[in-house]
Amino acid sequence: MRLSLSGVFADARAMWRNHRDILGAIAGVFFVVPILGILFLMAQGGLPADPDPVKLNEAVRKFYSDNLLSFLLANLMIDFGTFALFVLFLQPGERTLGETLAITLRRLVPFIAIDLIAAILFGIGMSLFVLPGLFAFGRTWLAVPALAANPEQGLAGAFRQGWQRSDGLRWLALIGAATVTVMAAVFAILLGSVLLGLLGAAVGDNIALEMAGYALIAIIGGIAWVTMGLIRVAAYRRTGPSTGI
């Protein structure tokens, strides 16, 4: 099957349309809730308004240090939800949400390991120059779905599958799909923030409006995370034989 942006997005839409109930449950618990928690932490962080970059950098470091465990737990929830989505669509046969979560829990450690290795490769590539970082991202982006589809192959086999499925110029198409999703989410968040800001200026300070703003951003983030996961599933399927539901 040909890998194209239009085809990948069409497949992702079809998966959402056919399984939106279970996807909504995964997004609500594992994406929206932790994102909302991070937003509340940042709102209560007390970062200084002083534009001095040295003071701001020190305050940011202290903030992350003080809240490290909370950030780790939030990221763990998001990773768990992402892996659950891959298991749901890439493991052969249909299963309930409970069965999907149970399988994800049993395989969480190798999932996290492969995600960390891919992130390290991306970071090294970006530190050398932008293009090597993007290349590493594109060539490893399908490794986690590959592990979900066939966990028996192990980490090395999953990376090999991801590398093979992103050969030629396919890695550019994968980067393009990820970029479109991220930019759409950023635009939606900015637009929502502007509208809420205008509404806030009209009605004055309102705690309910502030909470609504956090909820809106968290929901947009949750939708973006689900979309990104579905795009990776669609791209993986389009670069090899079809599996899963």
Side-chain angles (χ1 to χ4, degrees):
M1 194 181 296
R2 183 171 174 269
L3 181 64
S4 66
L5 290 183
S6 59
V8 166
F9 280 107
D11 291 350
R13 282 195 300 271
M15 282 185 278
W16 169 259
R17 189 168 55 247
N18 295 331
H19 305 281
R20 54 179 170 266
D21 290 343
I22 193 168
L23 287 172
I26 291 174
V29 174
F30 297 105
F31 300 150
V32 175
V33 169
I35 292 173
L36 194 58
I38 291 173
L39 291 173
F40 284 148
L41 273 179
M42 295 178 71
Q44 301 300 320
L47 296 179
D50 193 327
D52 183 350
V54 176
K55 291 182 179 179
L56 183 60
N57 186 50
E58 290 178 356
V60 170
R61 285 189 177 186
K62 185 177 186 306
F63 170 72
Y64 279 104
S65 176
D66 292 343
N67 298 282
L68 180 60
L69 181 59
S70 297
F71 276 96
L72 288 176
L73 289 174
N75 281 303
L76 182 62
M77 285 184 67
I78 291 172
D79 283 344
F80 188 96
T82 302
F83 303 147
L85 191 152
F86 292 151
V87 169
L88 175 67
F89 285 102
L90 293 175
Q91 279 284 292
E94 294 193 25
R95 60 193 51 79
T96 65
L97 178 57
E99 291 169 340
T100 298
L101 298 181
I103 293 172
T104 303
L105 184 60
R106 291 199 301 270
R107 297 170 180 166
L108 186 60
V109 173
F111 279 145
I112 291 177
I114 200 169
D115 220 14
L116 285 174
I117 294 170
I120 290 170
L121 292 174
F122 172 67
I124 293 172
M126 291 299 287
S127 68
L128 297 173
F129 192 64
V130 175
L131 187 57
L134 294 177
F135 179 77
F137 174 85
R139 297 307 299 266
T140 61
W141 205 46
L142 297 182
V144 178
L147 186 65
N150 184 16
E152 291 76 17
Q153 67 185 324
L155 299 184
F159 272 113
R160 184 166 54 251
Q161 274 284 313
W163 190 270
Q164 291 171 350
R165 287 168 180 263
S166 58
D167 63 353
L169 295 179
R170 287 177 172 179
W171 64 280
L172 288 174
L174 298 176
I175 291 174
T179 301
V180 169
T181 306
V182 171
M183 293 304 296
V186 170
F187 176 77
I189 289 172
L190 289 176
L191 180 60
S193 299
V194 169
L195 293 176
L196 285 168
L198 293 174
L199 183 59
V203 303
D205 292 336
N206 189 312
I207 188 66
L209 186 61
E210 184 179 354
M211 294 299 103
Y214 293 148
L216 176 62
I217 293 173
I219 290 170
I220 293 172
I223 292 172
W225 230 284
V226 169
T227 302
M228 187 71 77
L230 292 178
I231 286 171
R232 291 172 80 178
V233 170
Y236 180 84
R237 286 178 166 178
R238 279 185 165 261
T239 54
S242 245
T243 57
I245 63 175

